[in-house]
Structure formats: structure tokens, C-alpha cells
Amino acid sequence: MMDWQPLVLTFKLAAITTALLLIIAIPIAYWLAHTKSQIKPILETLVSMPLVLPPTVLGFYLLVVFSPANPVGNWLDEHLGLQLIFSFEGLIFASILYSLPFMVHPIQAGFSNLSSSLTEASYVLGKSKSTTLFKVLLPNIKPSLLTGIVLAFAHTIGEFGVVLMIGGNIPGKTKVASIAIYDEVEALNYDIANWYSLILFVIAFIILLMVYLINGGYLKRFWK
């Protein structure tokens, strides 16, 4: 019988990760789009590393760093009461790192493509940097924001290696859909594995299709 808990946990993880990533990615993307600092290539490289780095590598180092035997993991446990190894909080942290480029890159591209005259006009009118960002710039890169949100959400849904390394396989706590599929295949329960896979496939397809329809203006033309 199919257990719906891994799917619920997966979408909960994806939703929380995407919301936090949006908050984190906007200032990073804004800085990368406008800075002329010499450390820009280094930060861009760090942000982009999950695109080429095997997820098990990231998961392994997170496992080492947040282990109670490590000073960082020990400090988090003693002072903040955080145990990120084999916990849902650990999955969120790992997912934020692993999906960061999928949120940052579209938003950075959106900022880079905006005309500098928008910012200059806002400053001439006496608007602050924060007001300019939230009232002028962000409303003009809605397609980029939507793309980043959808890509980060969809990518988090499909994570396997990094969540397995940092979270393990604890039912109701860290066992997400991708791990459930792996378990069912190992147990030769191909029917259940197929249902998990099919649900994820359909949802990911619908999400991505909506992005292309909205960004391509197809929905506006349809409703005219």
C-alpha cells in the first residue's frame, strides 16, 4: 500500500526551502548583478558549485561539519540546540545550499537585463535603495522571480543524494519521495515506485509548463 507521508514531506521541504531561498537569493543576485568587486567571480563560483558538484560530495561534507564530533556541530548542539544530522532542519539547510543556483541565476539575469535608468530615476525622485529594490526593480523582473521560484521548488522535489546523506531514511522525518522510490525499487515493489515516480513527474511537468506559458505570454494571448 502506498504511503503518502513521503510525498507530503517532500512538498513541505520544497515549499520551505523555496521561501527561504527567495529571501536569501534576492540580495545575493542583486549584489552579483551590480558589483564590480574582484571577489565577484569567487562568489559566483561558490553559488554555482552545486550545478557541477556530485550531491553526495556536498552531503558528505555537511555530514562531517554538522557531526557532534565536529566543533561546528558540537557548538550548534550546545548553544542553539540544533542537530542538523538526520533531521528535517538538516534537510532544509542542505536543500538551500543545493538549490541556491537555481534561484540566484534567474534573478541575477533579471537584474542584469534591467536598464540602469530605472534605478537612476528612482534615486532622482528621492527613493532609498530598499524602496528602489522592492518597489521598482523587483516588480520589473517578475518572470525571473517566477522562474527562480519554480526551478528551486522543482529541483528540491527531485533531490536524492544530498538528502540521503544528511537526513538518512527516517519515516515521517527525513524520508522524502525520492528516497521512498529507491526503497520500493530495492524491495521490488515496482508498482508503488511507479506511483511515486508518476506523481512527481506529473507535478514537475505541470509546474514547468506553467512557467513557460506565463513567461511566453501564451496565457495572456489565450484570455484575449
Side-chain angles (χ1 to χ4, degrees):
M1 183 176 178
M2 182 174 170
D3 182 8
W4 290 92
Q5 200 168 44
L7 287 170
V8 173
L9 195 64
T10 297
F11 292 113
K12 178 182 177 182
L13 174 64
I16 295 175
T17 298
T18 302
L20 293 175
L21 269 176
L22 184 61
I23 297 172
I24 295 169
I26 288 176
I28 294 176
Y30 180 83
W31 187 84
L32 289 174
H34 295 92
T35 187
K36 295 181 181 179
S37 172
Q38 293 181 349
I39 67 171
K40 176 182 176 180
I42 298 176
L43 184 56
E44 284 185 315
T45 300
L46 291 174
V47 169
S48 301
M49 282 292 285
L51 295 174
V52 297
L53 197 66
T56 49
V57 173
L58 178 60
F60 170 73
Y61 282 116
L62 289 177
L63 196 63
V64 171
V65 170
F66 295 131
S67 168
N70 186 281
V72 175
N74 185 56
W75 187 88
L76 288 174
D77 187 15
E78 288 189 356
H79 294 82
L80 301 179
L82 285 177
Q83 295 182 354
L84 297 181
I85 301 298
F86 306 127
S87 68
F88 185 72
E89 291 77 13
L91 292 188
I92 294 174
F93 187 86
S95 298
I96 288 174
L97 291 181
Y98 197 53
S99 295
L100 184 63
F102 293 89
M103 182 70 82
V104 171
H105 286 170
I107 299 177
Q108 180 185 350
F111 282 134
S112 298
N113 291 330
L114 284 179
S115 173
S116 59
S117 61
L118 285 174
T119 303
E120 293 169 0
S122 180
Y123 290 162
V124 168
L125 292 173
K127 304 299 182 182
S128 65
K129 288 186 177 180
S130 59
T131 301
T132 300
L133 174 62
F134 290 104
K135 298 292 186 179
V136 179
L137 302 183
L138 289 179
N140 280 282
I141 61 165
K142 287 181 181 179
S144 298
L145 291 171
L146 177 62
T147 300
I149 290 170
V150 170
L151 288 180
F153 187 88
H155 186 254
T156 304
I157 289 176
E159 289 176 0
F160 175 73
V162 68
V163 296
L164 180 61
M165 293 289 288
I166 194 71
N169 187 0
I170 306 174
K173 190 174 182 181
T174 63
K175 185 178 180 179
V176 293
S178 58
I179 297 175
I181 293 171
Y182 179 78
D183 283 349
E184 298 301 339
V185 170
E186 276 201 323
L188 302 180
N189 296 326
Y190 295 126
D191 288 340
I192 298 178
N194 176 60
W195 276 111
Y196 280 128
S197 301
L198 183 61
I199 291 172
L200 292 183
F201 177 87
V202 170
I203 291 176
F205 178 83
I206 292 174
I207 291 174
L208 290 174
L209 178 62
M210 291 302 296
V211 171
Y212 287 120
L213 289 176
I214 293 173
N215 286 347
Y218 296 104
L219 292 182
K220 289 183 180 180
R221 291 198 291 268
F222 176 79
W223 289 111
K224 284 183 178 180

